[in-house]
Amino acid sequence: MKEIKTVSLIGLGAIGCYMAENLVKAVGYDNFRVIADGKRKERIENEGIIINGVLNNFRVVTPEEKTNPADLVIVITKMMQLESALKDIKNQIGDNTIIMSLLNGVESEEIVANVYGEDKMLYTVTRAAVTKVGNVVTYNPKISCLEFGEKKNEVISERVKAISDLFNKSGIKYKIPKDMIRAIWRKFMCNVSENQSSAILGIPFGAWHSNEHANYVREAAMNEVLEIAQKLGIDLSINDILDQREVLKKINPNARTSLLQDIEAGRKTEVEMFSGTIMNLGSKLGISTPVNNLFYHMIKTLEDKNEEAFNYS
């Protein structure tokens, strides 16, 4: 596998900014492309992105713009935007392009593979608590990392080696798990519990540092995901829940989950990908999911509230 020299990214949200800031250092301004058009393109070009106090400017190309295929394409939109994003990256894809999907959930890799083929895709999990308000982004680089690889990584492939070299140049911390499906489900278990309970309760990460009530709610949702994962043959256990207690203590107590940020900003959330997925899987597998059923309807209520459904004045 040749060296990764050009990178394209679609989805310059919180995690997208974290990736962009670091990857542009490795490949240079001209070889890093953000895919955007319309007002989004104008905003990125005119305002830039302030990341950890530093103004960053990125080269922006439209989906229609003809460029040489990128060596690496990173997709990091919301799930509801994934279908259109896969169309928008078409001009960036060549015979040897690697695609990495950094979306939350457990479905995006399969969706990408159905469009571009599994041979182009690497599995990826982000481990970064990033906050984005307007064009201002903050995160802690010391505890931010990616987990990526083929489905199984007993032997490191040439593609994984090429991405490792790129991340080494960029300063992005990473791990290569032996089992990426397990890693994806472990992150999903955390997302289902933390994103949703924080959005409903309006609490930052610090609430889970010591508050027994906040942790009870969070882990009630985790246990439902754990039961489903085990029924599907995925190697998760109670130890993963216990380990997450220690991980949360290292995160900035003022940091907020992406779903809480969506609710606060009045945006639609990814609730369908979280509790919606758990409800559907639970129904198929004969597993009761009362906590996630409740979470789903509570978050839908908050979305409706944001749209002034209860404005009776």
Side-chain angles (χ1 to χ4, degrees), residues 17-283:
C17 289
Y18 159 66
M19 295 298 295
E21 179 209 24
N22 288 288
L23 289 172
V24 75
K25 298 173 186 174
V27 299
Y29 177 88
D30 291 332
N31 292 322
F32 182 84
R33 315 158 186 160
V34 174
I35 304 166
D37 56 11
K39 291 183 179 179
R40 183 182 297 271
K41 180 177 186 292
E42 292 177 9
R43 187 164 60 249
I44 296 169
E45 290 178 329
N46 294 336
E47 299 178 10
I49 307 289
I50 300 170
I51 305 175
N52 285 348
V54 178
L55 178 63
N56 289 257
N57 295 103
F58 303 109
R59 178 188 174 194
V60 184
V61 300
T62 66
E64 296 78 22
E65 193 169 332
K66 296 292 185 181
T67 63
N68 292 327
D71 297 324
L72 171 64
V73 172
I74 294 174
V75 181
I76 190 165
T77 61
K78 298 289 189 182
M79 179 62 81
M80 63 278 275
Q81 300 160 343
L82 180 57
E83 183 178 351
S84 61
L86 294 180
K87 294 177 182 176
D88 288 344
I89 65 173
K90 183 178 180 181
N91 285 333
Q92 305 295 320
I93 306 297
D95 293 339
N96 299 310
T97 300
I98 298 171
I99 304 174
M100 299 177 77
S101 169
L102 276 64
L103 277 70
N104 289 320
V106 293
E107 303 167 309
S108 70
E109 280 86 359
E110 181 179 354
I111 295 170
V112 173
N114 287 339
V115 176
Y116 289 108
E118 191 164 353
D119 61 311
K120 288 195 175 301
M121 190 188 64
L122 287 179
Y123 293 79
T124 316
V125 168
T126 57
R127 293 284 183 181
V130 186
T131 299
K132 185 172 188 284
V133 179
N135 73 328
V136 178
V137 175
T138 55
Y139 71 92
N140 184 348
K142 294 181 179 179
I143 60 170
S144 302
C145 75
L146 262 65
E147 298 179 22
F148 77 96
E150 311 284 355
K151 269 188 181 180
K152 299 289 185 180
N153 296 290
E154 284 86 359
V155 177
I156 303 301
S157 71
E158 288 298 313
R159 300 193 308 162
V160 172
K161 177 66 166 58
I163 300 298
S164 298
D165 291 344
L166 174 69
F167 287 172
N168 288 336
K169 292 178 184 177
S170 70
I172 292 175
K173 296 180 173 66
Y174 63 88
K175 298 176 182 177
I176 304 172
K178 289 185 177 180
D179 184 345
M180 272 305 305
I181 302 304
R182 181 191 187 283
I184 286 170
W185 268 85
R186 190 185 188 287
K187 173 69 183 299
F188 182 57
M189 182 169 66
C190 298
N191 272 330
V192 166
S193 60
E194 293 158 17
N195 264 288
Q196 296 190 122
S197 63
S198 68
I200 292 165
L201 297 171
I203 55 175
F205 277 92
W208 298 311
H209 287 198
S210 59
N211 188 274
E212 63 177 304
H213 308 296
N215 279 304
Y216 179 92
V217 175
R218 179 180 62 81
E219 291 187 359
M222 289 185 94
N223 280 308
E224 291 183 355
V225 183
L226 177 61
E227 187 175 358
I228 287 172
Q230 290 177 337
K231 190 71 175 285
L232 292 171
I234 296 162
D235 183 27
L236 291 181
S237 73
I238 188 64
N239 289 331
D240 293 295
I241 294 178
L242 298 177
D243 288 345
Q244 186 62 9
R245 294 179 184 177
E246 300 306 312
V247 171
L248 288 170
K249 293 175 183 177
K250 300 176 184 177
I251 296 176
N252 180 348
N254 292 313
R256 305 189 316 285
T257 67
S258 60
L259 205 147
L260 174 56
Q261 292 179 59
D262 287 339
I263 289 294
E264 290 177 338
R267 296 187 293 261
K268 284 289 188 181
T269 73
E270 295 182 302
V271 65
E272 299 290 349
M273 183 176 66
F274 294 139
S275 54
T277 296
I278 292 302
M279 290 163 59
N280 290 335
L281 287 173
S283 178

Side-chain angles (χ1 to χ4, degrees), residues 304-305 307-313:
D304 290 344
K305 179 183 176 183
E307 294 180 354
E308 299 188 347
F310 314 124
N311 184 359
Y312 300 116
S313 60

